[in-house]
Amino acid sequence: MTAALLAAATGSGAHLAHASAWAVFGVGAALILTGAFGVVLLRNPVHSALMLVITLIGVALEFIDESADFLAAVQIIVYAGAIVILFLFVIMFLAVDRREPAAPEPTRAQRPLAVLLGLVALAELLILSRVQHWSSGAHHVAGSLKGGEDVQKLGESIFTRYLLPFEMTAALLVIAVVAAVVLSRRHGRVAAEMSPAEQEEATLR
Amino acid sequence: MGDPVFAHGLTLAVWLILLVKTVAVFVIVLVSVLFMVMYERKAVARLGVRWGPNRAGPNGWLQSLADGTKLLFKEAFTPRSADRLVYKVAPYLMLVPALIAFAIVPIGGTVTVAHNTTELQLADPPWGILFMLMASGLAVYGVILAGWSSRSKYSLLGAVRASAQMISYEAVLGLTTATVVLVTGSLRTSSIVAAQHGGFLYHWNVIHTALIPFALFAVAITAEMTRPPFDLVEAEEELSGGYMIEYASVDFAWFYLSEYAALVTNSAFIVTLWFGGPDGPRITGHSIGPFWFFLKLLIILFVFVWIRATLPRLRYDQLMELGWKRLIPAALIMLMVVAGFQINREWGFVAIGAGLVLAGVLWRAIDVGRGATVVESGPDPRVAQEAEQ
């Protein structure tokens, strides 16, 4: 938004808009990297979750830089506002919110495998960004976002051209929710059916 | 579209105007918090046939200033086992969203300063109203982190209650806001206000969307702010103060401040979304948008106080049932009905019919589900009682 606004505002001073777009990109990238390193390096799970929020805010900034304002807002509302909160819930309820020594590796090949997969992913990203228009392989699928209401374009492409994938994703999510409910009901009783003493034992160990 | 102040480039005057507007929004929110604390205490007192604060200043109107000053000079206490950094940061995480959300509220009309015309609104982004949802979404962090970092069972329980409540009711908030967006066709707050312009009351969204979405929105935003009757987050009887129980001094003042700032800002959003913002009759040919805006704001704020003085607190399970089993389905159905009427009248009635059928099915499903839970956890006490008789 800042970039678009400045571009509209300055008119002739296009270089200023360009510079500000780079500045926004730089700040966003710094936030993403800080957050990402924090998630991995910090020992306390709650701190890691907070660093994840910083990464998400950085990603939202990059969306804004690309004039995808709606995606930026949704990124904050959905991911930062709901999903990481659920992470925090789980961390707090499982009482894992304390510093832990590094646990022994579950499988011995995990570490080399992780390095290998990371390198493959990096190579993939680099190649795609060289040969294709970023990783989707498509350029301006729903029309250019520069200037104009991105919500309309997003809505049009979701409800016309990409209706089937969109609905399928929705169906998958519903199935996942139902499955989660069924699984949690099968093993053990839900909290509402426990006595207060049992509840306390289960949650506040 | 957008603020006309940017039409001639970013000159020094434009920067100054932006600075003044930023400070003005800040001052409006802070002053209205000081005012609101007193307004609420006085109104609640009168509703309970008491006098309320009447010592500090004329008629006691400076009491909140005195309380604030006292808070600043108290000892800033940090529990020994607290997670220090998070404990200190949490109040600000709650304060900032409450303060910045007011930036997108259109107060009405334009002013011209030194040949620069500007809207009486700090920011008018094309995704405007999502900013409101964003701010209320981020405010949850202040609550949950404050509760967690204090390392106290009561504050943790309060935080979990509060954040579960806020997340649940955010869905209703989003869905009802979507009906407004559907009617208006834009996310911009200035467009939402402009679409309701002209024709006192008749064009307002509260009428345009048939009242029900507004009612849902009002309930949801009351719960979102953890205002009474949804204030079980800080139920003194059970949690002795909720997520901010360990906080004192300035940090506590921030929580208090952000609670009231959120109240003022969200009331401003109610005015903007549903009551036409600064729309109102002209007086002697002059448009007096800001007057109407603040008048409506005062009325909405009074209704919040009135609700607090009137309704008893809900239980936690009642709160969750209301949110998930009543409000969210109702909001979804209303979204469908409003969408139907946007196409034409026939589709609107089809949507109403489908909505009624869906509501019936859901009602039955909830009933069956409740019966199943009772059977699993042993005999239904009501059945047992009947058998005894």
Side-chain angles (χ1 to χ4, degrees), chain A residues 6 9 47 69 80 85 97 185, chain B residues 9-10 83 127 141 148 167 376:
Chain A
L6 278 173
H47 293 171
D69 302 336
I85 292 283
D97 53 334
R185 300 277 300 193
Chain B
L10 281 172
D83 190 314
W127 41 290
Y141 280 100
W148 172 78
I167 294 175
E376 269 173 37

Side-chain angles (χ1 to χ4, degrees), chain A residues 101-108 110-111:
Chain A
E105 307 269 333
T107 50
R108 205 178 303 159
Q110 199 179 24
R111 209 165 275 200

